[in-house]
Amino acid sequence: MKIAKATIHEISMALKKPFRTSLGTVTERRGLVLELHDENGLTGLGEGVAFSEPWYTEETVDTSLLMLKKYLLPALLQEDLHHPEEAERVYATVRGNPMAKAAVDMALWDLHARQARKPLYEIIGGTRKTALAGVAIGSQSIDDLLDQAQEAVREGYSRVKVKIMPGYDLEPLKALREAFPDLSILADANSAYEGKESDLLALDELGLQMIEQPLSQKDLVRHAELQKKLKTPVCLDESIDSYKAAANAIALNSCRVINIKIGRVGGLTEALKIVRLCQDHHIQVWCGGMLEFGISRAHNVALSTLKEFNIPGDLSSSSRYWEEDIATPDVIVKSGEIERFEGYGIGVSLNHKRLQEVTLHSFDIKKH
Ligand SMILES: [Mg+2]
């Protein structure tokens, strides 16, 4: 899979509704779309899912852009890989920066599947016909929360994730539980409970599906102590930025669930390794979301066709976030499920007209 040229598009698109978490509000989503062109005119698509500001993890759109431009893509253009898993050689020149690496890794897997004239889900062994969808709702007034949950239930979602923080937890979650006794409710704290672990014990009676990332990203030990005190499963998100981090968390009993995000863990190669590890240790997995565009969304759908992804992920319809996405066809949720894409690779292609409208700048990187 010799790469003849890479094209990066830096884009910015307004969300239909601002999205608030314990650490920041996203109104305008900047991001990176990566095209890897082989010598036979085929193109693999990847997406850089870092946010504009370093509130989620330390990476940003700008740091990803720098890593791709200066290190990862020039190194990739020197290689002649036979399989995406061999890209380790390319990544070895850069420490950390999983989201930048994941953009390359996603595009390599997509290209690999397109070259093999197969859907990506088939290449990775996915057997589910549909991916299970869930919806994430930002922190807001309780009335708005209940309205949005009602809308999600009407649309067929069976799981709702609510962003919580100290002062916005028990009351909204209780109201939600009372209004929807049978709904799977997941509370995502984005590390907001550092030093306020006792607040979380009060949530233990609400029958939550899980509490996601209550404490700081690096603190696996205290997550383990917290999990011991809670009946509710702890799910780790930000803490799991690699296979090694997942192995450490499992060894320490820091969680019972891992949210797998292709971008956060450094790509599909690493994500697949984590899925196998979790299966060996009876740790549940589901696919997380990054308010991403249609490219990463299609990669998530492919990943979620693996049999291990048997609870709903942060996968929702493209139209929930965007007026018009940069990839086509759209991800569409019907009765809480998304049909897998049957086309080659991730099964979606760029909507060039829309891409152009939202592009801040594009440039090529060629082998010299
Ligand atoms: Mg999360």
Tab-separated table of all heavy atoms in Angstrom, residues 56 161 163 188 190 212 237-238 259 261, ligand 1:
chain	number	residue	atom	x	y	z
A	56	TYR	N	-10.270	17.888	26.529
A	56	TYR	CA	-10.626	16.460	26.624
A	56	TYR	C	-9.372	15.643	26.937
A	56	TYR	O	-9.275	14.959	27.947
A	56	TYR	CB	-11.311	16.016	25.324
A	56	TYR	CG	-11.539	14.523	25.243
A	56	TYR	CD1	-12.509	13.905	26.030
A	56	TYR	CD2	-10.761	13.731	24.407
A	56	TYR	CE1	-12.697	12.532	25.978
A	56	TYR	CE2	-10.958	12.359	24.357
A	56	TYR	CZ	-11.916	11.764	25.137
A	56	TYR	OH	-12.078	10.405	25.084
A	161	LYS	N	-26.892	9.051	27.325
A	161	LYS	CA	-25.745	9.393	28.170
A	161	LYS	C	-25.861	10.857	28.551
A	161	LYS	O	-26.133	11.707	27.704
A	161	LYS	CB	-24.476	9.136	27.363
A	161	LYS	CG	-23.221	9.776	27.877
A	161	LYS	CD	-22.055	9.044	27.271
A	161	LYS	CE	-20.898	9.964	26.986
A	161	LYS	NZ	-19.766	9.208	26.440
A	163	LYS	N	-24.049	14.152	30.493
A	163	LYS	CA	-22.809	14.722	31.023
A	163	LYS	C	-23.099	15.279	32.415
A	163	LYS	O	-24.021	16.088	32.581
A	163	LYS	CB	-22.317	15.839	30.103
A	163	LYS	CG	-21.925	15.351	28.719
A	163	LYS	CD	-20.611	14.606	28.754
A	163	LYS	CE	-20.096	14.330	27.358
A	163	LYS	NZ	-18.788	13.652	27.378
A	188	ASP	N	-21.643	10.554	32.341
A	188	ASP	CA	-20.240	10.797	31.970
A	188	ASP	C	-19.735	12.048	32.674
A	188	ASP	O	-20.282	13.130	32.507
A	188	ASP	CB	-20.140	10.974	30.443
A	188	ASP	CG	-18.691	11.105	29.971
A	188	ASP	OD1	-17.769	10.952	30.802
A	188	ASP	OD2	-18.488	11.358	28.767
A	190	ASN	N	-16.370	13.176	32.695
A	190	ASN	CA	-15.152	13.790	32.141
A	190	ASN	C	-14.204	14.264	33.258
A	190	ASN	O	-13.764	15.413	33.264
A	190	ASN	CB	-15.486	14.962	31.200
A	190	ASN	CG	-16.165	14.503	29.908
A	190	ASN	OD1	-17.352	14.703	29.742
A	190	ASN	ND2	-15.432	13.856	29.021
A	212	GLU	N	-19.026	7.074	33.761
A	212	GLU	CA	-17.862	7.137	32.889
A	212	GLU	C	-16.860	8.183	33.382
A	212	GLU	O	-17.240	9.311	33.691
A	212	GLU	CB	-18.367	7.490	31.475
A	212	GLU	CG	-17.297	7.469	30.414
A	212	GLU	CD	-17.898	7.769	29.027
A	212	GLU	OE1	-19.105	7.543	28.803
A	212	GLU	OE2	-17.145	8.253	28.181
A	237	ASP	N	-12.716	6.207	29.997
A	237	ASP	CA	-12.689	6.814	28.661
A	237	ASP	C	-11.311	7.472	28.485
A	237	ASP	O	-10.361	6.844	27.991
A	237	ASP	CB	-13.857	7.819	28.563
A	237	ASP	CG	-13.871	8.637	27.284
A	237	ASP	OD1	-12.974	8.473	26.451
A	237	ASP	OD2	-14.794	9.461	27.097
A	238	GLU	N	-11.164	8.714	28.977
A	238	GLU	CA	-9.926	9.468	28.786
A	238	GLU	C	-8.684	8.700	29.253
A	238	GLU	O	-7.599	8.887	28.701
A	238	GLU	CB	-9.997	10.822	29.527
A	238	GLU	CG	-10.886	11.864	28.884
A	238	GLU	CD	-12.330	11.829	29.397
A	238	GLU	OE1	-12.843	10.711	29.687
A	238	GLU	OE2	-12.955	12.906	29.484
A	259	ASN	N	-14.690	2.307	27.316
A	259	ASN	CA	-15.247	2.989	26.156
A	259	ASN	C	-14.100	3.086	25.145
A	259	ASN	O	-13.053	3.668	25.432
A	259	ASN	CB	-15.759	4.351	26.660
A	259	ASN	CG	-15.792	5.435	25.609
A	259	ASN	OD1	-15.317	5.273	24.488
A	259	ASN	ND2	-16.340	6.572	25.982
A	261	LYS	N	-12.551	4.467	21.829
A	261	LYS	CA	-12.632	5.467	20.765
A	261	LYS	C	-11.424	5.263	19.873
A	261	LYS	O	-10.280	5.303	20.360
A	261	LYS	CB	-12.601	6.885	21.340
A	261	LYS	CG	-13.834	7.227	22.152
A	261	LYS	CD	-13.817	8.657	22.649
A	261	LYS	CE	-15.064	8.933	23.476
A	261	LYS	NZ	-15.018	10.220	24.177
B	1	MG	MG	-16.575	10.318	27.882
